[in-house]
Amino acid sequence: MSTRLTTDQIERYSRQIMVPDIGGKGQIHLRQARVLVIGAGGLGSPAAFYLAAAGVGTLGIVDPDRVELSNLQRQILHATADIGRHKVESAKTKLNDLNPDVEIDIFAVRFEEDNAAEIAAGFDFIVDGSDNFDTKFLVNDVAIRLDIAFSHAGIVRLQGQTMTVLPRKTACYRCLFQAPPPPEEILNCQQSGILGAVAGTLGTIQATEAVKYLAGFEEGLLTDRLLTYDAKAMKFHSVEVTRDPQCAACGDKQAAER
Ligand SMILES: [Zn+2]
């Protein structure tokens, strides 16, 4: 892909090129970058919109589902007329309407053990916008195996949490939580609801982290910190976390076995 920006691109991205930390060089890095968004839902919608707007060269979108009426309260990539359409196709239309410069690769499948490595290979960053623990652990493990930086996020009701992971350099999702919670707790989570704007806040933070990583400023990334958001009290809190050398995904034993 070209290492020069066209006149149109310079105008389109002028307000972020003006940001000293990004500049023309950062913009070219974004243009050459490939980001995989897992899930075209509440988190994936704002993340993908901002990444497309920012001029990320290629966006991969993975989602097996079709748009339902109850999605529209938070999954802002999709409109009323999209009900029944594959979410990845609806997403591709919206993202290319916003920015035809961005190549959108769609995968209308569930991100599973069987296909995860094949889908994720070749991407520079992963935004995990999945809505279940099994997928979150799978994204974590595959990203570490393939050495791809990623952003984790989870949301429920009026709360969210997020963290960025640089494989084997910073704490991973499994360093913190080891394994998915028992099924009875998961069921409670899925029934508990979510405010759309809370998903928007967390997905937007994930897009910010992706842009920062791709534009080359690693120092300020949300690594070794779990950021929690309580929308009811309107409070952000960050908890320091450390990498576990015994971690089943990123521990030293796993590194030695590679
Ligand atoms: Zn770990």
Side-chain angles (χ1 to χ4, degrees):
M1 199 169 285
S2 170
T3 54
R4 304 187 75 145
L5 299 170
T6 64
T7 311
D8 273 1
Q9 287 168 343
I10 289 168
E11 185 174 347
R12 178 184 284 265
Y13 307 119
S14 59
R15 296 305 186 275
Q16 70 193 40
I17 291 173
M18 285 159 73
V19 177
D21 294 294
I22 299 174
K25 202 171 149 198
Q27 191 62 52
I28 289 165
H29 285 155
L30 288 176
R31 174 115 189 85
Q32 293 167 333
R34 298 168 52 83
V35 178
L36 182 65
V37 179
I38 315 275
L43 293 165
S45 287
F49 260 136
Y50 276 116
L51 291 170
V56 166
T58 304
L59 279 179
I61 313 278
V62 190
D63 201 308
D65 296 335
R66 291 176 185 271
V67 180
E68 295 176 18
L69 182 58
S70 65
N71 298 150
L72 304 182
Q73 157 267 8
R74 66 196 179 285
Q75 302 184 10
I76 56 171
L77 271 170
H78 318 297
T80 308
D82 295 312
I83 292 170
R85 239 180 130 193
H86 264 297
K87 285 187 185 176
V88 290
E89 280 167 17
S90 161
K92 184 175 170 132
T93 307
K94 308 308 159 27
L95 296 170
N96 273 149
D97 280 350
L98 172 60
N99 190 349
D101 255 5
V102 181
E103 164 130 4
I104 312 288
D105 292 345
I106 57 174
F107 305 88
V109 294
R110 196 166 296 286
F111 191 76
E112 296 178 313
E113 194 68 56
D114 287 357
N115 59 19
E118 197 183 329
I119 292 172
F123 283 95
D124 303 305
F125 192 93
I126 299 175
V127 170
D128 181 10
S130 67
D131 62 355
N132 65 85
F133 290 102
D134 286 343
T135 308
K136 289 182 196 303
F137 278 96
L138 176 63
V139 170
N140 182 77
D141 296 353
V142 167
I144 287 166
R145 220 181 305 150
L146 300 179
D147 197 23
I148 303 171
F150 71 99
S151 167
H152 151 80
I155 44 173
V156 64
R157 292 188 175 160
L158 296 168
Q159 298 181 331
Q161 65 176 35
T162 179
M163 180 174 81
T164 302
V165 177
L166 305 180
R168 291 191 184 81
K169 288 187 191 160
T170 69
C172 85
Y173 185 58
R174 209 179 268 282
C175 287
L176 268 70
F177 300 108
Q178 286 88 42
E184 59 274 17
E185 283 182 32
I186 294 172
L187 193 64
N188 287 342
C189 242
Q190 282 175 348
Q191 290 169 337
S192 47
I194 175 71
L195 180 69
V198 171
T201 301
L202 271 291
T204 302
I205 290 173
Q206 292 187 284
T208 310
E209 288 288 287
V211 168
K212 283 164 58 186
Y213 176 80
L214 298 167
F217 39 118
E218 288 197 14
E219 266 179 31
L221 289 170
L222 185 61
T223 50
D224 290 328
R225 286 178 290 154
L226 182 72
L227 181 71
T228 61
Y229 171 46
D230 178 351
K232 194 170 173 184
M234 197 43 79
K235 283 184 178 164
F236 285 91
H237 186 66
S238 111
V239 187
E240 287 204 20
V241 294
T242 48
R243 200 180 138 222
D244 175 7
Q246 310 294 322
C247 173
C250 77
D252 299 335
K253 187 163 173 281
Q254 275 60 38
E257 279 170 8
R258 281 181 97 201

